[in-house]
Amino acid sequence: MTNTKISNIVVAIDGSDPSRKAADYAVSLAKEKDAKVSAVSVVKIHQSDAFRGSAQTLHKFVNKQVSIADEWLGSIRKDADKSNVKFESRVIKTTASIPEEIIKYAKDKKSDLIVVGTRGRTGFKKMLLGSVASAVVTHAGCTVMVVR
Ligand SMILES: Nc1ncnc2c1ncn2[C@@H]1O[C@H](COP(=O)(O)OP(=O)(O)OP(=O)(O)O)[C@@H](O)[C@H]1O
Ligand SMILES: [Mg+2]
């Protein structure tokens, strides 16, 4: 029989309203299942940024993104704490791909479920499913839930 036990839930956060909804879903599901939530936010370092400004400018820009991501994760932590849900979080900086980092993190956490939003911060409204969500659904090693 298929094992439907959910112990480790990873939720992917980009600060958008859909990802906030994904976090709410992840926390309430974790409460129901007595699971742990690991929230991850990936800060993409665009190679081209390095050419536009000095290395120091890039460094500052990336650090600013990281501290903004920390705030998003901090607010989800508060909700998890209120619900007595075990919680951890990580901000990952990468020059590689965002979905790859989310999937790698989920593997590290032995996650049995990844929760994402349908859309994020960067997409066009007319797109039904963002490229990060789509790549995670396609390539993840575990079940993926796309929250609407
Ligand atoms: N940098 C990120 N770090 C963590 N999770 C992310 C990141 N970007 C997107 N996600 C996750 O993927 C979901 C869908 O966002 P996605 O980026 O795929 O759509 P979009 O921004 O609307 O379009 P696109 O990025 O393809 O232009 C988000 O709700 C969030 O759960
Ligand atoms: Mg996006």
Side-chain angles (χ1 to χ4, degrees), residues 11-20 22-23 40-44 72 92 98-99 102 115-125 127 129-136 146-147:
V11 63
I13 302 301
D14 71 346
S16 63
D17 287 346
S19 83
R20 181 72 233 189
V40 62
S41 189
V42 183
V43 173
K44 170 100 181 174
W72 299 332
I92 296 170
I98 296 170
I102 294 169
V115 184
V116 295
T118 49
R119 291 195 306 237
R121 290 162 59 80
T122 48
F124 298 106
K125 280 230 157 65
M127 267 184 46
L129 189 64
S131 64
V132 172
S134 168
V136 170
V146 183
V147 173

Side-chain angles (χ1 to χ4, degrees), residues 23-94:
D24 290 349
Y25 205 103
V27 169
S28 48
L29 186 64
K31 187 168 176 60
E32 201 180 301
K33 299 279 186 186
D34 195 25
K36 175 181 180 176
V37 172
S38 303
V40 62
S41 189
V42 183
V43 173
K44 170 100 181 174
I45 303 169
H46 292 280
Q47 298 279 306
S48 60
D49 292 344
F51 297 105
R52 258 187 261 133
S54 66
Q56 207 186 3
T57 312
L58 176 65
H59 190 71
K60 261 197 192 155
F61 178 77
V62 169
N63 281 350
K64 176 79 192 160
Q65 298 295 111
V66 169
S67 67
I68 291 169
D70 271 331
E71 276 174 33
W72 299 332
L73 297 174
S75 103
I76 298 163
R77 171 181 292 278
K78 274 192 196 148
D79 291 348
D81 285 350
K82 263 187 232 152
S83 300
N84 264 323
V85 165
K86 289 179 257 58
F87 181 86
E88 70 178 318
S89 67
R90 171 106 58 88
V91 179
I92 296 170
K93 297 186 246 182
T94 187

Side-chain angles (χ1 to χ4, degrees), residues 127-145:
M127 267 184 46
L128 296 177
L129 189 64
S131 64
V132 172
S134 168
V136 170
V137 167
T138 308
H139 300 292
C142 67
T143 301
V144 179
M145 182 182 276

